[in-house]
Amino acid sequence: MTRKARPWILLIEPGAFEAAAEPAGGAPEILEVEVSTRTEVQGTVAPEAGKQTIRPDADLLFVAGAGWTKKQKDGATHVPEAAELITAFLDKSQASLGSSKSLVDLGGEGQAVLPFLTHLHQVGQTGSTPRHRKGLATCCHGEEPHVVGWRFIHERRAVNLDPNCGWSRGKADVLYVADAFEVMRELNKLLG
């Protein structure tokens, strides 16, 4: 068996196959394999101690979508400001943080990402299915693969600039057609 792409590892679970019978000529040949690695650890990214963002017992699930990292009305991206607005809201409200798959995957595509998001935050068909009482989705489209993760959330609200997004088709109780940056700035002021 050969493969050009690396890493190439073949693991067989013990007991998955019957043990091989000893060949007629004696014991099987043991091959010497030279193992080398070119892996280099460049650093570790971890949230600060006490900055827990996944809170299963919180009343509110705040979900960030890929719109937070897209160009805004001034034609520029504002990822640091988005991160600041979201973390301030999470600190003040003690909400749990979720994310759309598209936002979590942006990091793998070399695009700017929110520094505190991991695949553990992903909500939806390929992520978690949280059970918070209330949910607030911001900057995400509200299409079925994401919304399926919201099936146990009783009160659903969304903030999106698109009045025809998936949330407007009966998937949210309330849709605020507004700029999420402006909404979050105002929410953070109201929370103190």
Side-chain angles (χ1 to χ4, degrees):
M1 298 172 72
T2 62
R3 180 179 171 196
K4 290 183 181 181
R6 293 180 185 235
W8 191 84
I9 300 169
L10 176 64
L11 300 174
I12 298 176
E13 182 70 28
F17 297 97
E18 285 187 37
E22 190 173 313
E29 177 185 356
I30 297 176
L31 300 174
E32 291 293 324
V33 178
E34 183 181 324
V35 179
S36 65
T37 180
R38 291 182 290 178
T39 302
E40 180 182 319
V41 177
Q42 295 182 347
T44 303
V45 177
E48 295 176 27
K51 290 286 185 184
Q52 180 178 350
T53 56
I54 298 174
R55 300 176 177 117
D57 296 332
D59 282 338
L60 176 67
L61 172 67
F62 177 87
V63 176
W68 284 104
T69 62
K70 304 295 183 207
K71 289 183 180 178
Q72 301 302 311
K73 55 186 166 189
D74 64 355
T77 60
H78 298 280
V79 177
E81 182 187 1
E84 191 176 301
L85 287 169
I86 293 169
T87 54
F89 177 75
L90 294 173
D91 289 345
K92 293 173 183 183
S93 68
Q94 290 301 296
S96 186
L97 177 64
S99 174
S100 64
K101 182 179 188 317
S102 54
L103 181 56
V104 172
D105 287 347
L106 287 176
E109 298 170 10
Q111 295 184 24
V113 294
L114 298 171
F116 44 79
L117 285 179
T118 69
H119 283 281
L120 294 173
H121 291 96
Q122 187 176 319
V123 174
Q125 189 170 346
T126 56
S128 66
T129 305
R131 286 162 170 73
H132 298 81
R133 246 177 10 95
K134 299 176 184 178
L136 175 61
T138 57
C139 296
C140 60
H141 49 72
E143 296 303 327
E144 198 57 36
H146 177 67
V147 177
V148 72
W150 285 65
R151 66 181 170 263
F152 298 114
I153 296 178
H154 301 293
E155 293 179 42
R156 303 173 186 181
R157 295 178 184 238
V159 179
N160 198 307
L161 284 171
D162 180 6
N164 296 312
C165 69
W167 295 112
S168 68
R169 294 183 221 123
K171 295 176 182 169
D173 300 315
V174 177
L175 170 63
Y176 301 98
V177 179
D179 181 323
F181 280 83
E182 292 173 14
V183 170
M184 294 312 297
R185 278 188 212 107
E186 193 59 34
L187 261 176
N188 284 339
K189 279 184 202 171
L190 291 172
L191 290 172

